[in-house]
Amino acid sequence: DRRYLKIQNELVEYERYSTEPPYPFLDCQRGALNTHADAHAEGSVAGELDVDTWPIFVRFTQDTSIQQEVAERLARIYHEAGFKFTYFDGAEDTPVPFWFTVSRCQWLVYQRLDPPPLFSEGACKSHFSWHILTRGNAFDTFIPEVIKAATRAYPAAEAPRVAKDFTRINFGWIGYYAPSAQTMGTQPDMLEYVTSRAAAWDCPISMNGHLDQFRGNARTPDNLEVIKRWEDARAQGYMTRAQKEALRDVNQEHTLLINESGNPELVACSLMENIAGADRPARGLVFERAGKTYATYWHTSGEAVLEVPLPAKSLRLMKDLGTPLKFRSAGKSVRLPLAGKLYVECSGVSTSELVKAFQNAKVVA
């Protein structure tokens, strides 16, 4: 959407061009972006500006002094403002070859910063950035429906590569969404997946959301509790090398429990899809521990009652593991509250039977 030709000191904006002789550029605007429309000598070199795909930015050529001039200006701002860390946003906005130009433009800025940053991060990094960046590559946000697949494709794929360079990446940005007609909104299992993959490589996570989206998501308390649980486990040094290795299997989901003793406990789990026959209004995970099967489930956007075809005698309902809650029996079924995240513990029921029961459940209120 932005097309600029550069002829000496003039920029010319064009709408289209012809592939037929004499190959003209059409619908041109002379003197674009406050340059001056001047006469140009025959043989003057013309070129097209390298416009970013946003299309907001124009990339600097690395064959001139432009990058150094900008680096000096940024260094003055950094010093006068008293900054102590820096973020190289848009660091992918360099011309090819990226393995060289990404690191070079960062280095030209970094070496001028006084004092040297305590921490620095970049939207893009290459091997030669390892001694500059504390971490890098916070990918742009993804909608809830694809966030697990995007995590597998991008940060989880890159984390083992940058670990060889003694650095880490940022598992983010995690976009935060309220349920709407377009999306089910951010759900606890999604945050659990991203945070657990980050923990596998000792990487941080970051969120990018608006307060109205937090307020509009009924599961925000559960979502934030997921993050707190994982961050507390990090701070306590809970994760062993073997557990981190297990979390590196991107095809196996995990949940971090707070067990009956109040301690973190990592278990492998699977997503329960189509609870009550659809992807809304309920969502959950199923797992096994201590010879019993468990499900943790919640309403994706509000509150209701879920009638599940399970015998009451085989079931315990809990908000916190080890503390049973009351529920209603309805013949050969049970009626369970469907709102914030709850746990169901079952005896004598297999994992497949538990999943099938939730899929055959009915929302009755």
Side-chain angles (χ1 to χ4, degrees):
D1 296 328
R2 296 178 72 186
R3 307 169 184 87
Y4 292 105
L5 301 176
K6 180 180 181 296
I7 309 173
Q8 294 181 296
N9 291 326
E10 181 186 355
L11 295 180
V12 179
E13 186 172 13
Y14 67 93
E15 286 292 328
R16 53 197 176 92
Y17 59 88
S18 174
T19 57
E20 300 295 330
Y23 312 108
F25 291 92
L26 304 169
D27 300 326
C28 294
Q29 176 191 332
R30 300 288 303 274
L33 299 183
N34 297 318
T35 60
H36 297 287
D38 295 322
H40 301 288
E42 184 176 351
S44 297
V45 175
E48 185 173 44
L49 291 193
D50 186 6
V51 179
D52 180 271
T53 53
W54 280 49
I56 297 174
F57 305 113
V58 174
R59 298 181 177 95
F60 297 154
T61 175
Q62 301 290 298
D63 299 327
T64 71
S65 63
I66 296 177
Q67 185 68 70
Q68 291 91 322
E69 293 171 17
V70 171
E72 290 169 1
R73 182 182 179 210
L74 290 174
R76 286 196 302 272
I77 297 171
Y78 173 92
H79 182 74
E80 292 171 3
F83 290 149
K84 298 291 182 65
F85 64 92
T86 186
Y87 182 79
F88 293 96
D89 197 9
E92 69 275 19
D93 289 302
T94 64
V96 295
F98 300 118
W99 66 267
F100 174 76
T101 55
V102 168
S103 296
R104 180 178 183 271
C105 72
Q106 292 170 347
W107 175 72
L108 288 171
V109 176
Y110 187 92
Q111 67 175 342
R112 289 169 169 80
L113 299 180
D114 179 27
L118 296 174
F119 304 100
S120 57
E121 184 171 325
C124 186
K125 69 184 295 294
S126 73
H127 168 69
F128 296 101
S129 301
W130 72 264
H131 62 297
I132 297 174
L133 300 185
T134 312
R135 60 178 182 255
N137 296 69
F139 292 90
D140 287 336
T141 59
F142 301 99
I143 62 172
E145 283 72 13
V146 302
I147 191 169
K148 291 183 183 180
T151 299
R152 289 191 289 270
Y154 299 108
E158 187 176 13
R161 301 176 190 172
V162 301
K164 297 176 182 178
D165 287 339
F166 321 112
T167 52
R168 300 290 183 263
I169 66 169
N170 186 337
F171 273 67
W173 302 316
I174 303 172
Y176 198 86
Y177 301 88
S180 68
Q182 290 73 42
T183 177
M184 71 174 63
T186 303
Q187 301 294 325
D189 65 292
M190 301 169 186
L191 294 176
E192 192 123 43
Y193 184 82
V194 179
T195 307
S196 61
R197 301 313 104 170
W201 297 98
D202 296 320
C203 292
I205 66 166
S206 61
M207 300 189 74
N208 185 336
H210 297 277
L211 289 178
D212 65 319
Q213 297 297 301
F214 281 85
R215 297 187 187 103
N217 190 327
R219 298 285 73 80
T220 289
D222 295 302
N223 288 333
L224 296 181
E225 192 274 334
V226 167
I227 295 175
K228 180 182 186 301
R229 214 177 329 128
W230 280 95
E231 292 303 316
D232 285 346
R234 289 178 194 251
Q236 297 166 12
Y238 165 73
M239 305 299 297
T240 65
R241 182 181 294 273
Q243 288 173 323
K244 292 177 183 178
E245 288 290 339
L247 292 174
R248 293 175 184 181
D249 180 357
V250 296
N251 296 313
Q252 175 61 65
E253 297 195 30
H254 293 79
T255 182
L256 187 63
L257 307 173
I258 301 300
N259 64 22
E260 292 83 352
S261 301
N263 298 317
E265 179 180 330
L266 183 69
V267 296
C269 63
S270 300
L271 178 66
M272 283 200 300
E273 297 182 284
N274 297 322
I275 294 178
D279 64 353
R280 300 192 202 186
R283 196 169 173 89
L285 299 169
V286 63
F287 55 93
E288 297 179 5
R289 63 187 286 268
K292 297 180 181 180
T293 55
Y294 290 80
T296 178
Y297 72 99
W298 58 89
H299 198 295
T300 56
S301 60
E303 298 182 7
V305 174
L306 193 66
E307 186 173 303
V308 186
L310 285 171
K313 63 180 180 180
S314 68
L315 183 150
R316 284 208 307 170
L317 178 69
M318 298 166 286
K319 180 173 177 57
D320 300 309
L321 294 180
T323 306
L325 299 174
K326 293 182 179 180
F327 60 90
R328 289 182 291 164
S329 176
K332 296 182 179 181
S333 298
V334 291
R335 290 194 171 184
L336 306 177
L338 178 59
K341 191 167 68 169
L342 295 173
Y343 292 93
V344 167
E345 175 192 275
C346 292
S347 301
V349 178
S350 68
T351 300
S352 60
E353 290 171 337
L354 183 58
V355 171
K356 186 176 180 180
F358 270 87
Q359 290 175 337
N360 292 332
K362 298 178 181 179
V363 177
V364 296

